[in-house]
Amino acid sequence: MQGKVLNKMLRRTIKETRGRFIAITLIIMLGVLIFVGVKGIGPGYRDTATSELNATKLQDMSITSTVGLTAKDVKLAKRVNGVQVAATKSTFALAASDESVVNVYGYRNNDGLNQLLVRSGHLPKNQNEIVLDSRAQEYGNFHLGDTYKLKQTDTLKRRSYKIVGFADSPLYINNNYDRGNANIGSGTVAYFAYVQQQNLDLNVYTSIGLRLTKRPSGDTYAKSYKTAVNAKLKQVRKIFKHRQAARKAELTATAMQPINKQQAKLDKAKTQVTQAKAQIAQATHGQMTTTPELTAQAAKLTAAQTKLDTAKARCTKPFPRPVTRTASARPGRLQ
């Protein structure tokens, strides 16, 4: 009896507030549909991303240094078991058209890590050819066959190129213009570009990429992947443990060569001034120990010694150790 009364009251309430009842029902249905959609599409997105990043061989880790990386660093990286290694050269430059900051990479082939996905045209085959970020088509209104110019920079051997292609890079996986930061111009990279590596006037590498040859089960968000990468990171840090001191010694020795030559010349000049003063003292039986000319020369030598001491201090100043990084979940670029 009580149940019949409750059902009757419920039907009456629904009838009297039919609009509210329908609205609440639709809101619940919409919430359920959104929840199911998000839960269902998430794994699909992750599978698609993992498949594309595997196809383009995106690096799992990268090694960078503020003083550049050499062939010795590449050799050390290859000592890590179970990884594919690729060294990269890149530099920042300003576009001549609007002074946009461009991250210019050196291109050798598309068989290694971080392979480009060509959207139109082809990859650079000659020294006067350039491939631009596909976003540059909209950003700078560039087209295939256009002449593309960069402003003068010490790290590029040529400024003018022919646009032969537009491409996407696994290093930049989103669709906005977040291409990282730079130390020139506006401080923000507008887009990337690839030219033949011999166009870059660099004697060091800017980064070394490492990729696991044996892929962990699951996608790049899985715990198994993070565990595998962290294990390799420990190996990398162990192998590069003493590299900071060795690299510092190399750079210090190179920088000290001209300083040591100047120091030798300065020491010789000091000796000559000292001998001249001794001769004057001997000739005057101690009544004179110097002359205005010798005093002025000694002052110049003292000032030169101060400059050399400052240069020596700068050469021996500590610098940061090489940094090992992993792929970041932040969209846009590798960290």
Side-chain angles (χ1 to χ4, degrees):
M1 183 67 181
Q2 186 176 3
K4 293 182 178 181
V5 173
L6 289 175
N7 291 335
K8 186 176 181 180
M9 292 178 62
L10 181 61
R11 288 194 296 271
R12 182 183 299 172
T13 302
I14 292 174
K15 186 176 180 180
E16 292 175 352
T17 57
R18 183 176 301 172
R20 184 187 301 174
F21 175 78
I22 294 174
I24 293 174
T25 302
L26 291 175
I27 290 173
I28 294 173
M29 291 177 60
L30 182 61
V32 171
L33 289 173
I34 292 175
F35 176 77
V36 172
V38 171
K39 290 288 288 184
I41 204 171
Y45 276 145
R46 289 168 59 168
D47 290 343
T48 301
T50 300
S51 177
E52 183 162 324
L53 295 180
N54 284 337
T56 55
K57 295 185 178 181
L58 173 66
Q59 63 192 26
D60 297 306
M61 298 163 280
S62 66
I63 302 171
T64 60
S65 173
T66 56
V67 293
L69 300 159
T70 67
K72 291 182 179 179
D73 297 303
V74 177
K75 188 175 180 179
L76 284 175
K78 289 181 178 180
R79 288 175 52 189
V80 180
N81 296 325
V83 297
Q84 183 180 354
V85 177
T88 303
K89 291 183 178 182
S90 64
T91 185
F92 295 121
L94 296 176
S97 58
D98 57 2
E99 295 192 351
S100 296
V101 181
V102 186
N103 197 353
V104 183
Y105 290 87
Y107 173 81
R108 288 180 293 181
N109 58 63
N110 207 33
D111 300 327
L113 303 185
N114 309 319
Q115 297 176 5
L116 294 173
L117 294 170
V118 179
R119 301 306 183 188
S120 60
H122 60 82
L123 294 171
K125 299 176 182 178
N126 302 305
Q127 291 190 27
N128 67 330
E129 296 178 345
I130 190 171
V131 168
L132 296 181
D133 186 343
S134 60
R135 303 299 165 192
Q137 287 182 283
E138 179 183 350
Y139 187 93
N141 195 28
F142 299 115
H143 303 89
L144 291 175
D146 287 351
T147 297
Y148 182 84
K149 292 185 178 181
L150 294 164
K151 288 200 166 185
Q152 183 67 40
T153 174
D154 294 336
T155 53
L156 281 174
K157 296 179 182 179
R158 64 183 303 141
R159 297 172 51 201
S160 181
Y161 301 88
K162 177 183 178 182
I163 300 176
V164 296
F166 293 95
D168 290 331
S169 168
L171 293 173
Y172 306 91
I173 59 176
N174 66 3
N175 292 326
N176 60 30
Y177 291 109
D178 179 13
R179 295 300 190 245
N181 300 321
N183 56 3
I184 63 171
S186 64
T188 302
V189 178
Y191 49 89
F192 63 83
Y194 278 78
V195 299
Q196 286 285 329
Q197 183 157 290
Q198 54 262 42
N199 286 327
L200 272 66
D201 194 7
L202 296 172
N203 58 5
V204 293
Y205 299 105
T206 49
S207 69
I208 299 175
L210 299 92
R211 176 178 170 82
L212 278 64
T213 53
K214 183 179 180 181
R215 306 306 298 171
S217 60
D219 55 40
T220 54
Y221 297 91
K223 185 178 180 180
S224 57
Y225 172 79
K226 295 178 181 179
T227 301
V229 171
N230 287 334
K232 295 300 179 185
L233 276 175
K234 290 181 180 179
Q235 292 185 34
V236 172
R237 292 191 177 106
K238 183 177 180 180
I239 290 174
F240 279 83
K241 182 178 181 181
H242 303 292
R243 181 55 182 153
Q244 178 188 8
R247 181 66 172 140
K248 178 183 176 182
E250 293 171 3
L251 293 172
T252 301
T254 302
M256 287 296 293
Q257 286 179 0
I259 294 177
N260 290 335
K261 290 181 180 179
Q262 291 297 322
Q263 185 65 65
K265 292 180 180 179
L266 188 60
D267 290 341
K268 184 178 180 180
K270 287 180 180 180
T271 301
Q272 292 173 347
V273 170
T274 301
Q275 291 175 349
K277 288 181 178 180
Q279 291 174 0
I280 290 173
Q282 184 179 5
T284 61
H285 301 287
Q287 294 182 5
M288 290 181 60
T289 58
T290 186
T291 64
E293 291 79 7
L294 288 176
T295 300
Q297 183 65 21
K300 291 181 179 179
L301 293 176
T302 300
Q305 184 64 64
T306 301
K307 291 182 179 180
L308 278 179
D309 291 340
T310 302
K312 290 179 182 178
R314 292 179 63 182
C315 289
T316 56
K317 183 179 179 181
F319 56 83
R321 69 180 60 187
V323 179
T324 307
R325 302 183 178 184
T326 60
S328 170
R330 184 174 70 85
R333 65 192 302 268
L334 198 70
Q335 289 292 307

